[in-house]
Amino acid sequence: MRKALFLGGTALVVTLVPQLALAAADCAGLLRDGQHPAGLQVTEAVETPATDDIPVAHCLVRGKTPDRAGVDGKTYAIRFELRLPKDWNGRFVHQFNGGNDGVVVPALGPLLGGNKKDTALGRGYAVVSSDAGHDGKAAPEKGIAGSAAFGLDPQARRDYGYTAVATLNPLAKQLVETYYGKKIAFTYGIGSSNGGRHALMAASRLAGEFDGLLAGYPGLNLPKAAIQHALDVQAWTKVNPDIAKAFSRDDMAVLAKGILKACDSLDGLADGVVGDPDACQTAFKPETLECTKAGDTGCLSAAQITALKTSHAGPRNSKGEQLYSEWDWDPGMASANWRGWKLESAVDAWGRKPIIGVMGAASLAQVFTTPPTPVGGTPDALQAYLLGFDFDRDAPKVFAKDATFTESAVDFMIPPRSDNPDLKAFRDAGHKMIVFHGNADPVFSVLDTVNWYRKLDANNGGKAGDFVKLYRIPGMPHGAGGPSYDDFDFLSPLVAWVEQGKAPGAVAAGITPANKEAEGLNGKRTLYCPYPQVARFTGAAADDESRFACR
């Protein structure tokens, strides 16, 4: 099938591969020399039948790039797996993973909504996944700080930041095309969190590699966001040395109710969702929740309000200079996800300390500061590092370089020119990107992403929406869920945009059955609007998305 696409005013005729069985007969043949790129060692290639968990018959390929010796004495390689569906749709997805990477997550191509069964592999895409160039279990001697110990090797840092994707992507595409005996029609990149950062990095550094990119709640300025962890831990411990007790679940529910009271109706409808977040930032005053006397209930202490305001304002040095970003007030701050990241995890081995106080601290110390900061591998040692973090002395280390670490964390982790982006090469190649971010994200501030998009728009004459769309998700914390409409699909509009020239507009969303924190929204639907539009109530007597219009 041939289709004319109109990109940048030019008609391009491309061949779209129909969705039917195109797979080569011999999966195991990819093990043979000459059947895979010289830059890869293929260690496994097996036909894999459909199962209840992965209902797609496919060829599973595993391998790695050649081993290399790191300066820290560890052995490094980029390990990967590639899944090649029997019923291929002619397209390829690079699955960008999150966190510290360090493990080859199954190459299923999660589509980042609340419906976890909806995957790119299930839709017929070939999918690759990698560990981003390091084994997160290679340093057990460093305790729970071991997953970030790869930061002691400069090339492992670069691979984690951007070169693993740059190295693996063309090699994986060669494998796909060798197996099917056909050219890939379209290439996509999909990722969230650190994986969302990988997508923005690809748009900046690999502008010609991906026809479409889907970036969920991206860690755009990840090393700077890690500085927030120190601010939070220091703020919470001023309320209670035991961070988990600084705010109880009931305390956070008081905060959420206060935000809803001030902001729920700003979009025209009181429905349990803050649909106009910009207006909420001035409408909500946390001081209104302060207890008036000892023994009051349904309120917050003065110390708690001070801590929340300190966290919300973002980290600053003694000169008052902003080191990261301010944050959004949203009722999703009362979600279990927000609590797990900021206040109290469910991990007994971590002493139930929050994720920012363990994984976040280990990364800030060993990956994002130059030279790497020695840190202990116990929960208490990692928390002590954050408590002792000095915003004048230590924050500049994310910009630092030395003879061994010739790229700073800002260099290898943050997409180039993110402080003044234009994405000209990506734009001029006719490629497209959708970015979405939860307003209650506890890890990466949605306002940082909004600020980036505003600059991108200004640098493109107010026309950034011609190639990048941003969607804000009310109530959503770090990932689909929380008190939000989590049943959404941003891949389909991205594909239609890339392959048919149909620009995305409003995206309808509902609730997945597993999202218990959104039970108050059950039976209803909403719209997510491309920024800066907001879904506003139309007055329609309905429970579906027709209640709203993007304005």
Side-chain angles (χ1 to χ4, degrees):
M1 177 175 63
R2 296 172 67 80
K3 181 181 286 286
L5 305 184
F6 294 88
L7 300 173
T10 303
L12 302 177
V13 179
V14 299
T15 300
L16 302 184
V17 182
Q19 188 165 349
L20 44 81
L22 299 174
D26 185 13
C27 174
L30 293 175
L31 289 164
R32 295 193 296 269
D33 289 342
Q35 294 301 107
H36 58 262
L40 290 179
Q41 298 173 7
V42 175
T43 58
E44 182 179 353
V46 294
E47 294 284 2
T48 305
T51 65
D52 290 341
D53 292 332
I54 306 176
V56 178
H58 60 279
C59 171
L60 172 60
V61 183
R62 292 192 173 110
K64 63 180 182 176
T65 58
D67 289 344
R68 64 170 186 84
V71 301
D72 57 350
K74 302 289 185 182
T75 299
Y76 290 92
I78 303 170
R79 296 177 299 152
F80 74 93
E81 77 169 40
L82 174 66
R83 295 182 188 252
L84 302 160
K86 180 179 180 181
D87 295 323
W88 185 46
N89 66 6
R91 293 150 180 81
F92 169 69
V93 162
H94 197 132
Q95 174 182 314
F96 307 134
N97 297 314
N100 284 334
D101 282 305
V103 62
V104 182
V105 178
L108 306 179
L111 301 185
L112 312 182
N115 179 5
K116 306 306 181 186
K117 293 183 178 181
D118 191 8
T119 65
L121 181 68
R123 294 189 183 190
Y125 293 79
V127 183
V128 74
S129 169
S130 85
D131 65 358
H134 64 272
D135 180 357
K137 296 182 179 180
E141 71 279 5
K142 295 188 179 295
I144 58 176
S147 65
F150 71 91
L152 304 183
D153 178 69
Q155 183 56 48
R157 286 183 169 199
R158 282 190 289 270
D159 282 343
Y160 175 61
Y162 64 95
T163 54
V165 171
T167 299
L168 180 60
N169 198 65
L171 298 173
K173 289 171 70 174
Q174 287 182 52
L175 268 175
V176 172
E177 293 178 345
T178 296
Y179 180 67
Y180 292 113
K182 293 179 178 292
K183 290 290 186 182
I184 295 167
F186 295 99
T187 295
Y188 295 91
I190 301 174
S192 60
S193 188
N194 179 46
R197 182 198 61 83
H198 276 301
L200 297 186
M201 186 69 88
S204 300
R205 289 184 177 269
L206 305 171
E209 285 290 312
F210 296 93
D211 300 291
L213 291 164
L214 177 57
Y217 39 103
L220 170 64
N221 284 300
L222 206 158
K224 297 179 184 180
I227 296 171
Q228 177 79 32
H229 305 335
L231 178 68
D232 286 340
V233 167
Q234 292 176 23
W236 305 154
T237 53
K238 289 178 181 178
V239 179
N240 192 309
D242 184 347
I243 291 174
K245 296 178 181 177
F247 295 87
S248 68
R249 289 170 177 78
D250 287 343
D251 290 333
M252 297 308 294
V254 168
L255 175 64
K257 290 175 183 176
I259 295 171
L260 284 170
K261 181 178 179 181
C263 304
D264 193 354
S265 299
L266 295 176
D267 60 359
L269 179 65
D271 58 349
V273 170
V274 175
D276 190 343
D278 286 339
C280 186
Q281 296 313 293
T282 54
F284 173 65
K285 307 294 184 186
E287 296 86 353
T288 62
L289 303 178
E290 185 174 345
C291 301
T292 57
K293 62 181 184 300
D296 281 353
T297 59
C299 55
L300 300 176
S301 71
Q304 288 176 317
I305 290 172
T306 296
L308 287 170
K309 290 173 65 177
T310 297
S311 174
H312 184 269
R316 296 176 183 270
N317 60 22
S318 62
K319 297 179 181 178
E321 297 168 330
Q322 189 84 47
L323 303 178
Y324 176 49
S325 172
E326 295 182 339
W327 296 72
D328 201 58
W329 294 114
D330 187 277
M333 294 172 72
S335 67
N337 177 281
W338 197 97
R339 184 173 192 83
W341 280 96
K342 292 277 199 183
L343 294 167
E344 179 186 22
S345 76
V347 183
D348 289 331
W350 294 358
R352 293 189 168 256
K353 294 189 184 299
I355 301 172
I356 64 166
V358 179
M359 186 175 74
S363 297
L364 178 58
Q366 298 173 106
V367 183
F368 302 145
T369 59
T370 298
T373 305
V375 67
T378 66
D380 288 341
L382 290 166
Q383 179 169 303
Y385 166 71
L386 294 180
L387 287 172
F389 190 91
D390 185 278
F391 299 104
D392 290 328
R393 180 194 67 220
D394 298 322
K397 294 177 182 178
V398 303
F399 295 92
K401 308 175 186 180
D402 63 21
T404 301
F405 298 90
T406 56
E407 287 181 273
S408 72
V410 167
D411 292 334
F412 65 78
M413 289 298 292
I414 299 178
R417 289 198 61 197
S418 287
D419 58 343
N420 190 31
D422 59 31
L423 295 182
K424 182 178 184 296
F426 185 78
R427 177 197 69 202
D428 291 351
H431 298 163
K432 310 298 181 188
M433 177 160 58
I434 288 179
V435 182
F436 69 95
H437 203 142
N439 291 337
D441 191 334
V443 189
F444 305 124
S445 173
V446 67
L447 299 185
D448 191 41
T449 303
V450 168
N451 183 52
W452 168 83
Y453 188 79
R454 286 173 175 166
K455 291 178 179 177
L456 179 69
D457 193 45
N459 288 339
N460 281 276
K463 295 184 177 180
D466 289 351
F467 65 104
V468 179
K469 299 287 189 185
L470 169 65
Y471 294 81
R472 297 184 65 170
I473 311 298
M476 189 179 91
H478 196 62
S484 72
Y485 292 92
D486 65 324
D487 192 4
F488 52 75
D489 172 14
F490 285 110
L491 179 63
S492 294
L494 175 64
V495 170
W497 198 11
V498 168
E499 301 184 18
Q500 301 169 29
K502 182 180 178 182
V507 174
I511 308 294
T512 60
N515 188 2
K516 302 305 181 185
E517 291 185 302
E519 284 184 339
L521 307 176
N522 269 339
K524 300 180 177 65
R525 293 177 63 79
T526 194
L527 287 180
Y528 292 138
C529 301
Y531 184 83
Q533 291 183 319
V534 169
R536 298 201 179 277
F537 183 51
T538 63
D543 286 334
D544 64 13
E545 60 269 27
S546 67
R547 301 178 293 162
F548 297 102
C550 293
R551 294 172 181 164

